[in-house]
Amino acid sequence: MPNLPALQGGFLALLAAALFGVSTPLVQKLGMGMGPFSTAALLYAGAAGIGALLRQPAENEARLLRSDWPRLIAVALFGAVIAPVAMAWGLQRASGTGASLMLTLEALFTAVLAWRLYGETMDRRVWAAVLLLLGGGIALVLDQSQSGSSQLWGLVAVMVATVAWGMDNTLSRALAERDPGQVVLAKAVLGVAATGSLAVLTGEPVPGAGAALGLMAVGVSCYGLSLRFYLLAQRAFGAARTGSVFAFAPFIGAALAILLGDRSGGWGMVLGGALMLAGVLVHLMESHHHEHDHVALEHEHAHTHADGHHDHVHDPMPTGQHSHLHTHTPMRHSHAHVPDVHHAHPH
């Protein structure tokens, strides 16, 4: 809908959340008895494979630049090394439901970091959505706390993973205009190299073929494809909003954990899920509209000529999405928008 530009980004973020959400109980089942470094390496080996398959031609998506590599290394360190290792370690000590629900904190860290580092607008509707999501997470975690303190360190490790993934999400915002397949491939390869080396150095046991193939399959769909949709959502939606809608992933993971036999949830889970769903809907219905200025800008990214912001000409004019270096002339207009790459103006 033209007056609700948040719908596109929100839908992509929900796809990413659904895929990633189911990974938590699956990784717990498949990674049982395995080392955290081996688990992380296998997950991102699968992600690397799907990233390689989904790379786009240079005329369709912008290539990674040499100047992007320092950021890519930081993204891989936080998102493909620290976070999955902490998650794998925590999953061996906490219930699948409890670990899934703790992931809600990732949205809070992502939103605050995007607000502070990128100056993304956080109006009352966005803050309301973030608070609803956080409230849902708190209700879910309080529900899990009734099962005792034996899961404490596992949940703390999962919380460390959410901090690392929050930093990863924020840093990757600047890469959202690049080919998402190439970004997934580069991040995953760096992650596999680091965690695979650590698995060998620490003497972790060699995983069985069945568990290895299962974790790689999870890596393909729940990490690789999820990251691709997440990057596309950031492109259309901004880092803070993508991170907040992505907070629906914990509820999806908790629901799957229950289907797989986890019976640690109660009424707090129902309340938490309702609050999180309300937060997602608040985000999707966002319509931020005012007169604003576009300054002169030269950059490269995938775009079409039907969005009101790309009025440069070609001979002949292309149809559909394409990518090349192009220039935006200054303009002033008014329409509904979200903080994508063309709408980073201050308020």
Side-chain angles (χ1 to χ4, degrees):
M1 295 175 64
N3 61 332
L4 291 175
L7 278 179
Q8 179 187 1
F11 178 70
L12 290 167
L14 281 174
L15 279 178
L19 288 169
F20 184 74
V22 302
S23 71
T24 305
L26 293 178
V27 171
Q28 184 183 47
K29 296 286 186 183
L30 294 167
M32 191 173 298
M34 289 178 52
F37 296 122
S38 301
T39 301
L42 288 167
L43 288 169
Y44 276 95
I50 194 64
L53 288 175
L54 294 176
R55 291 180 63 191
Q56 297 295 308
E59 60 269 21
N60 292 342
E61 286 281 4
R63 303 286 89 188
L64 284 170
L65 304 176
R66 180 174 298 183
S67 59
D68 293 326
W69 280 99
R71 183 177 293 271
L72 265 172
I73 292 171
V75 163
L77 173 64
F78 285 106
V81 180
I82 296 174
V85 169
M87 173 65 78
W89 190 90
L91 283 173
Q92 296 187 9
R93 292 158 178 83
S95 73
T97 307
S100 294
L101 304 179
M102 183 61 75
L103 288 172
T104 309
L105 295 177
E106 182 181 339
L108 178 63
F109 295 129
T110 301
V112 172
L113 286 168
W115 171 50
R116 297 300 300 169
L117 297 181
Y118 292 112
E120 290 193 6
T121 56
M122 296 283 285
D123 58 21
R124 285 179 294 179
R125 180 186 290 268
V126 177
W127 279 114
V130 169
L131 291 174
L132 282 168
L133 292 165
L134 180 60
I138 291 172
L140 296 169
V141 172
L142 287 176
D143 179 81
Q144 288 297 293
S145 69
Q146 304 303 311
S147 61
S149 59
S150 61
Q151 301 185 58
L152 176 62
W153 289 111
L155 293 179
V156 168
V158 176
M159 183 177 68
V160 170
T162 67
V163 176
W165 267 319
M167 181 61 73
D168 168 24
N169 296 338
T170 308
L171 291 173
S172 65
R173 173 65 186 94
L175 301 172
E177 304 305 321
R178 309 298 185 206
D179 177 5
Q182 195 178 19
V183 174
V184 171
L185 175 61
K187 174 184 175 179
V189 167
L190 289 170
V192 170
T195 54
S197 299
L198 289 169
V200 173
L201 290 173
T202 57
E204 288 187 351
V206 177
L213 289 173
L215 286 170
M216 289 180 68
V218 172
V220 168
S221 56
C222 303
Y223 280 65
L225 282 177
S226 176
L227 177 56
R228 175 183 172 82
F229 288 132
Y230 195 98
L231 290 167
L232 291 173
Q234 284 190 321
R235 179 186 294 182
F237 202 41
R241 288 156 177 79
T242 299
S244 292
V245 174
F246 192 75
F248 201 58
F251 182 63
I252 297 170
L256 179 59
I258 292 172
L259 290 175
L260 293 175
D262 190 334
R263 295 294 181 265
S264 58
W267 284 105
M269 183 176 296
V270 177
L271 173 62
L275 289 171
M276 293 171 72
L277 179 60
V280 171
L281 292 176
V282 168
H283 262 311
L284 295 183
M285 298 304 291
E286 180 184 0
S287 183
H288 178 70
H289 189 294
H290 64 88
E291 193 170 47
H292 55 277
D293 291 302
H294 291 272
V295 299
L297 175 67
E298 184 179 65
H299 61 173
E300 180 180 358
H301 66 100
H303 61 278
T304 67
H305 288 270
D307 59 5
H309 293 90
H310 295 88
D311 54 3
H312 55 272
V313 296
H314 298 259
D315 187 18
M317 286 294 288
T319 58
Q321 181 173 286
H322 57 285
S323 178
H324 63 92
L325 187 68
H326 58 278
T327 301
H328 293 268
T329 57
M331 71 166 64
R332 182 176 181 83
H333 61 178
S334 177
H335 64 93
H337 57 279
V338 290
D340 57 21
V341 68
H342 298 107
H343 298 94
H345 49 265
H347 292 77

